[in-house]
Amino acid sequence: MDITINASFLPQNDPDAALGFYRDILGFEVRNDVDYKGLHWITVGPAGQPDTNIVLFPPEATPGLTDDERKTITEMMAKGTYGSLSLAAKNVDDVFDQVQAAGAEVVQEPVDQPYGVRDCAFRDPAGNLIRIQQQP
């Protein structure tokens, strides 16, 4: 069996702000940008890794959600407890300095974790927790 991860999904509630973070701060490429019936999906990914994608989607477009579920998701996004993503970098301290200088919301400065990685964390504009780790 040969299975790869092609895309992961993170919610976004402001396409322009999402592009400002993923494209302008993290330097990801925009691979697809779909505006459909007032809803906006943006696919981004790191340069040189065309098979690794993040789809930034409007959570209200998820089929089958009730109004209460949409409200809960909106509340969780506002608290930063709904979506998360773990990225990797060769030098997490350099990445931290660049992302912080660009104005991203810092959640955690670089720390050596007891489980063997050095990592830091930010929130994207939708509240998703973005951890960036460096392997030993």
Side-chain angles (χ1 to χ4, degrees):
M1 192 176 310
D2 184 18
I3 298 175
T4 62
I5 297 174
N6 176 262
S8 296
F9 286 67
L10 283 177
Q12 59 81 16
N13 50 13
D14 182 336
D16 292 332
L19 280 173
F21 183 79
Y22 288 96
R23 181 193 60 203
D24 302 337
I25 294 177
L26 296 184
F28 285 179
E29 299 173 337
V30 175
R31 307 226 170 106
N32 201 2
D33 191 335
V34 176
D35 191 358
Y36 179 73
K37 294 186 177 181
L39 300 173
H40 209 132
W41 288 258
I42 305 166
T43 303
V44 298
Q49 299 177 45
D51 295 330
T52 302
N53 300 287
I54 302 167
V55 179
L56 305 166
F57 73 100
E60 63 270 27
T62 303
L65 286 180
T66 66
D67 289 342
D68 285 343
E69 290 167 333
R70 282 190 185 88
K71 179 181 175 203
T72 298
I73 289 170
T74 300
E75 290 170 352
M76 291 177 72
M77 287 174 65
K79 290 172 54 178
T81 58
Y82 186 67
S84 66
L85 180 69
S86 183
L87 304 173
K90 291 181 180 174
N91 187 322
V92 75
D93 293 278
D94 286 348
V95 170
F96 177 82
D97 289 344
Q98 293 173 29
V99 174
Q100 181 186 36
E105 179 185 345
V106 175
V107 175
Q108 174 203 301
E109 294 187 5
V111 172
D112 291 323
Q113 299 290 355
Y115 43 88
V117 301
R118 181 168 180 78
D119 71 356
C120 64
F122 297 91
R123 289 217 188 282
D124 77 4
N128 299 305
L129 180 65
I130 308 300
R131 300 198 74 82
I132 302 171
Q133 67 177 355
Q134 175 182 327
Q135 296 292 327

